[in-house]
Amino acid sequence: MPSALTTDASAAEIPTRREGNADTLVGKMDGVLRRAGTVITAATDKDSSPPPVAEDRSASKTVAAAAGGGQDMDVRKEKSKVKPNKHSMDYMMRSFVAGGLAGCAAKTTVAPLDRVKILFQTSNPQFAKYTSSWAGLARALGDIYTHHGITGLFRGHSATLLKIYPYAAIKFVAYEQYRAVIIGARHQETWFRRFSAGALAGVTSVLFTYPLEVIRVRLAFETGARSPSLAHICRKIYYEQQPPITPPAAAAAHSASAVVRGAAGAAATTAQAVAPRSGIVNFYRGFSTTLLGMIPYAGMSFLTHDTIGDVFRSPLLRKHATLPQPANAPADKSAPLRAWAELAAGGIAGAVSQTISYPLEVIRRRMQVAGAVGDGHRLRIAETAGMIFRERGLPGFFVGLTIGYVKIIPMAAVSFYTYERTKTLLGI
C-alpha cells in the first residue's frame, strides 16, 4: 500500500512540474515576443520617420521656389523699369520714327492753311488783297480751290513731307539727346536747361533740312495755272544769278570820309565778287535768319510744352489730366497726359513760340523768295527788314500772324500728341 501511495504521489507531482515548465516556457516566449515587438516597433518608427522629412523638404523646396519665382518676377519688373540708355542706337531709331510720323501728321492736318500763310507772308500780288481781315483767309482758300481744285490747297505738300519727316525726326531725336546731356536728372530741370535743349535741337534739325524748306516755299509760292514740277523748281533755284555788281560812284578824291567810304565799298564789292552767285548757295537763302528764328521758336516750344505738362501733372490736376503709367514705360518717364491735356499743352506751346519768333519768320520767307520776285538780288537780313518796314511799317512783321495761330496751334498740338503716343507704343 505504501508503494501505491508513493506511486500516486509521484504521479500527482508530474503535472505540477509540467505546469512549472510550461509557465517558464510561456514566460520566455513572452520575453521573446516583447523583444521582437520592441524591435519591430523601432523598425517601424525608423521606416515611418523619413516620409515626413521628405514632405518637409519638398514643402521647403516649394516655398523656396515660390519665393524665388517672386524674386524673379520682381527682378523682371525692375529690369523693365530700368532707365533707358537714350544714347543707344535702338532708342534713337525709335524716337526718329516717332518724331517723323508726328511731323507728317501735323503738317498734313494744316497743309491748306500753310499754303495760304506763305502766300500772305511773301506778299504774293494775287493774294495781297486778302490779308486785311479774317474773312480773307476763307476767301483765299476759296480762290485757290476755284482755280486749282483740291490739289491747289496741297501744292508743295509732297516737298513738305519730304522735308518735314527728317526735320521733325532729327528735331525730336536731337532734343532727347541734348536733354539727356543737359538735364541729367529731374532735380536739374530748369527753364534755361529746357530752353537750351529745345533751341539746340531746332538748330541741329534745320542744318540738315533747310534746302528742302526753300524748295517747299517756292512750290507753294507759284500760283500759275500749271503747277511746276519739283525738278523744275530745283533747276530754277540752282541757276538763279544775282545781277552784275555796279561799282559805287566815285566820291571826292581828297576827302577823308570819302576815302573811308571808298575802302568800305571796295571791301564789300570784293566780298560780293568772291561769293558765288548761283548754285547750291541759292538753297540756303535766309539761312542765317532761320537760325536766329529757330532758337526762340524751338526753345520756347519745348520749354512751354514741358512746363504745361508739369502743371497738368501737379497734385491738383493729376487726377483729371493724366493716365495710368503703361506697363512698358521706362523708369524715368512721367505719367502720360490724357488726350485733351496733351493737345492743350502742344497748342499753347505752339502759340507762344509762334508769337515770339514770327517777325524773323516773315523776314526769312521774303529772303527765300527773293529769286522769284524782283531782280533776284540776294537780300541780307537788315535789307529785308528795312524793305518790310518801309512797305507796311511795324505791322508788316506780323502779317499773317492770325492765320499763323490758326495753323500753328493745331499743328503743334497734333505733333506733340502723335510723338508722345508713338513713343508709348514703341516703349520709349
Side-chain angles (χ1 to χ4, degrees):
M1 289 297 297
S3 61
L5 290 171
T6 302
T7 304
D8 293 336
S10 299
E13 289 175 358
I14 291 173
T16 302
R17 286 196 296 269
R18 287 178 180 175
E19 288 176 1
N21 293 335
D23 292 338
T24 302
L25 182 60
V26 171
K28 290 181 179 180
M29 290 297 295
D30 287 341
V32 172
L33 291 174
R34 287 193 188 95
R35 285 193 295 272
T38 303
V39 173
I40 293 172
T41 302
T44 303
D45 292 340
K46 190 178 293 185
D47 293 338
S48 62
S49 58
V53 173
E55 290 176 0
D56 292 342
R57 289 179 180 175
S58 62
S60 300
K61 289 181 180 179
T62 303
V63 173
Q71 291 176 356
D72 291 341
M73 187 177 296
D74 293 338
V75 170
R76 285 194 296 269
K77 288 181 179 179
E78 289 298 325
K79 285 183 178 180
S80 65
K81 296 293 184 181
V82 170
K83 186 176 180 180
N85 180 13
K86 294 187 177 182
H87 301 304
S88 66
M89 183 58 65
D90 178 71
Y91 188 95
M92 287 192 289
M93 289 302 299
R94 290 170 187 256
S95 58
F96 187 91
V97 172
L101 292 177
C104 290
K107 276 293 186 180
T108 303
T109 303
V110 297
L113 296 176
D114 196 32
R115 173 85 198 282
V116 175
K117 189 191 79 167
I118 291 175
L119 293 173
F120 284 0
Q121 284 180 334
T122 54
S123 299
N124 186 284
Q126 298 181 25
F127 290 86
K129 57 187 176 183
Y130 298 129
T131 61
S132 58
S133 65
W134 273 93
L137 169 61
R139 288 201 295 268
L141 290 171
D143 191 348
I144 296 173
Y145 180 78
T146 300
H147 291 86
H148 307 289
I150 191 68
T151 57
L153 297 173
F154 289 88
R155 178 174 292 181
H157 189 56
S158 58
T160 299
L161 295 181
L162 289 176
K163 178 255 178 183
I164 198 61
Y165 190 97
Y167 168 79
I170 293 172
K171 182 179 69 173
F172 281 110
V173 170
Y175 179 69
E176 297 285 357
Q177 299 303 306
Y178 287 127
R179 181 181 172 86
V181 174
I182 298 174
I183 307 174
R186 287 186 181 275
H187 68 274
Q188 295 179 337
E189 293 209 27
T190 62
W191 72 266
F192 181 74
R193 290 173 183 265
R194 286 177 171 177
F195 179 88
S196 300
L200 289 172
V203 170
T204 302
S205 62
V206 82
L207 283 172
F208 291 97
T209 60
Y210 190 80
L212 293 173
E213 172 69 3
V214 174
I215 296 171
R216 182 183 73 89
V217 171
R218 291 292 292 272
L219 282 170
F221 182 77
E222 299 291 337
T223 57
R226 182 180 178 183
S227 177
S229 65
L230 180 63
H232 173 75
I233 287 293
C234 290
R235 286 195 300 268
K236 186 177 180 180
I237 295 173
Y238 184 86
Y239 289 109
E240 285 173 352
Q241 293 187 2
Q242 294 190 65
I245 300 173
T246 303
H254 296 18
S255 172
S257 59
V259 173
V260 173
R261 288 197 301 270
T269 302
T270 303
Q272 291 180 0
V274 173
R277 300 182 186 180
S278 64
I280 297 298
V281 70
N282 286 342
F283 291 92
Y284 282 88
R285 282 177 174 165
F287 182 68
S288 57
T289 311
T290 301
L291 291 182
L292 292 177
M294 183 56 64
I295 291 173
Y297 179 82
M300 289 303 301
S301 179
F302 283 104
L303 168 62
T304 306
H305 174 265
D306 291 352
T307 302
I308 298 298
D310 290 343
V311 173
F312 283 137
R313 293 183 181 94
S314 63
L316 183 63
L317 300 176
R318 183 185 306 161
K319 179 179 178 181
H320 307 286
T322 62
L323 295 169
Q325 191 72 278
N328 63 340
D332 63 339
K333 188 173 182 178
S334 302
L337 297 177
R338 294 183 182 273
W340 69 267
E342 188 63 66
L343 291 171
I348 295 172
V352 172
S353 59
Q354 180 80 347
T355 303
I356 292 175
S357 64
Y358 197 80
L360 288 171
E361 184 180 357
V362 172
I363 296 174
R364 175 170 63 92
R365 299 295 192 195
R366 290 293 292 268
M367 293 178 70
Q368 286 176 337
V369 300
V373 294
D375 58 2
H377 175 62
R378 190 175 298 148
L379 298 174
R380 300 184 182 87
I381 296 175
E383 291 176 335
T384 307
M387 182 175 61
I388 295 172
F389 186 79
R390 286 191 301 271
E391 290 177 356
R392 300 191 178 186
L394 189 61
F397 293 97
F398 295 92
V399 171
L401 180 58
T402 52
I403 187 178
Y405 284 140
V406 175
K407 171 208 165 187
I408 198 64
I409 291 175
M411 186 181 75
V414 171
S415 178
F416 279 110
Y417 175 83
T418 306
Y419 179 65
E420 293 297 334
R421 289 299 187 266
T422 308
K423 282 177 63 180
T424 300
L425 292 176
L426 297 177
I428 58 174

